[in-house]
Amino acid sequence: MDTGKELIYRLYIQREEAFVRTDIKSEFSRYDAIKNGEVEKVIENFREVKKDFFKGKGTLSKNPLRNTIYHFVVAIGVISRICIKAGMTHDEAYTISDIYIQAADELKDINKIIDLLEQAQIDFATRMRNNNKNNRFSIYVRHSIDYIYDHLHEQITLTQLAENENLSPSYFSKLFAQEIGVPVKAYILSVKIKTAENMLKSSSYSISDIAFSLGFSSQSAFTAAYKKLTGKTPASFRKELDYIEPI
């Protein structure tokens, strides 16, 4: 799709109609209130936005209802990602996002969609306020824990986690150990072994399949790590469960 001519035309029309988009700093200052958990500020901000909801917003569809839903989806997408960056877990943020987008998709009234967006913003802000109040880990460590669980199939390194948070490996290592109580390498291994134990209990995957799915270089490396942490081999653990290893 060649957007060159269309872009020139639309920019011309916008100038002729004196259309001015919402300033990005102003827009993101409202999102800051959400990620900071300032529920009252979120309500106040949306009260102002609601007076002229489409002011400064582009036309995403010529169909008014679809246009509103598209703006809804864009807003929810941005909010969920900002909240993740501020410490909300991926699963929580994206699942809440899915819930609201699916709810909006069922609505046929523009005002109800706008009301739903207000409800979603308040919901995210309330959750962020509770997260900020109750969470004892720094944002760097929370991000890293999320990353570890999302990449269990890989060989995760301390350097990789530190780079993800733009921190030096030495500083990140000290921070992680201080907050979690164990070194990064030990934590990653413990999570992988706990996951492996669940897979040994509840799946029919072979031990070698489990080893490779959790990023171990070989079945023997997995067996050694498993025995070191649990005192048993994966095979003996399965045998205790009266499980017969598939051929």
Side-chain angles (χ1 to χ4, degrees):
M1 180 179 182
D2 184 4
T3 58
K5 291 182 180 179
E6 183 70 13
L7 174 62
I8 293 171
Y9 171 72
R10 293 202 181 194
L11 289 175
Y12 168 76
I13 295 297
Q14 288 175 13
R15 285 194 297 270
E16 289 296 302
E17 295 178 350
F19 172 75
V20 179
R21 291 185 183 274
T22 302
D23 178 70
I24 192 166
K25 289 183 178 179
S26 172
E27 181 178 4
F28 273 83
S29 69
R30 294 198 293 269
Y31 291 140
D32 283 343
I34 297 173
K35 77 173 184 179
N36 293 332
E38 302 172 59
V39 177
E40 292 74 17
K41 184 68 175 175
V42 170
I43 295 171
E44 179 184 333
N45 287 343
F46 203 86
R47 189 180 297 129
E48 290 301 311
V49 170
K50 204 171 179 179
K51 290 177 181 177
D52 192 354
F53 183 77
F54 294 100
K55 181 180 180 181
K57 293 181 173 66
T59 302
L60 305 181
S61 172
K62 294 178 181 179
N63 180 297
L65 179 63
R66 194 172 297 137
N67 183 55
T68 309
I69 290 177
Y70 288 163
H71 279 294
F72 181 97
V73 171
V74 169
I76 292 294
V78 172
I79 291 167
S80 62
R81 283 154 181 79
I82 285 176
C83 287
I84 289 171
K85 193 176 176 74
M88 184 179 284
T89 66
H90 290 75
D91 282 346
E92 181 179 4
Y94 288 142
T95 304
I96 295 169
S97 171
D98 292 346
I99 290 169
Y100 278 105
I101 290 172
Q102 289 171 16
D105 191 50
E106 298 294 322
L107 297 176
K108 305 300 180 186
D109 184 294
I110 289 174
N111 289 324
K112 287 183 178 179
I113 296 171
I114 295 172
D115 288 342
L116 185 64
L117 180 57
E118 178 180 24
Q119 182 183 335
Q121 291 192 7
I122 293 171
D123 190 357
F124 271 101
T126 302
R127 291 173 185 276
M128 287 305 300
R129 181 174 63 187
N130 293 336
N131 284 349
N132 295 337
K133 188 185 300 180
N134 299 329
N135 215 309
R136 56 193 175 92
F137 300 139
S138 67
I139 189 172
Y140 307 113
V141 171
R142 296 201 304 270
H143 281 172
S144 298
I145 290 173
D146 276 345
Y147 184 91
I148 289 167
Y149 275 96
D150 287 342
H151 295 80
L152 284 178
H153 58 288
E154 300 174 6
Q155 295 185 25
I156 308 163
T157 66
L158 164 65
T159 300
Q160 184 180 18
L161 293 173
E163 288 178 351
N164 288 347
E165 300 305 317
N166 294 316
L167 299 174
S168 71
S170 60
Y171 176 77
F172 177 77
S173 177
K174 291 177 183 177
L175 179 67
F176 192 96
Q178 181 181 355
E179 294 189 12
I180 301 300
V182 295
V184 173
K185 187 176 180 180
Y187 180 82
I188 294 171
L189 185 58
S190 70
V191 171
K192 289 194 175 195
I193 295 304
K194 286 178 183 176
T195 303
E197 193 169 70
N198 287 332
M199 293 176 75
L200 288 165
K201 286 179 182 176
S202 59
S203 79
S204 59
Y205 290 119
S206 69
I207 291 173
S208 61
D209 285 343
I210 292 173
F212 291 118
S213 72
L214 292 173
F216 287 92
S217 58
S218 65
Q219 181 176 334
S220 59
F222 168 60
T223 298
Y226 192 93
K227 187 174 182 180
K228 183 179 179 180
L229 263 67
T230 68
K232 306 173 184 177
T233 65
S236 63
F237 176 72
R238 267 194 164 166
K239 191 174 181 180
E240 289 177 1
L241 297 172
D242 294 322
Y243 185 92
I244 301 173
E245 175 76 352
I247 297 174

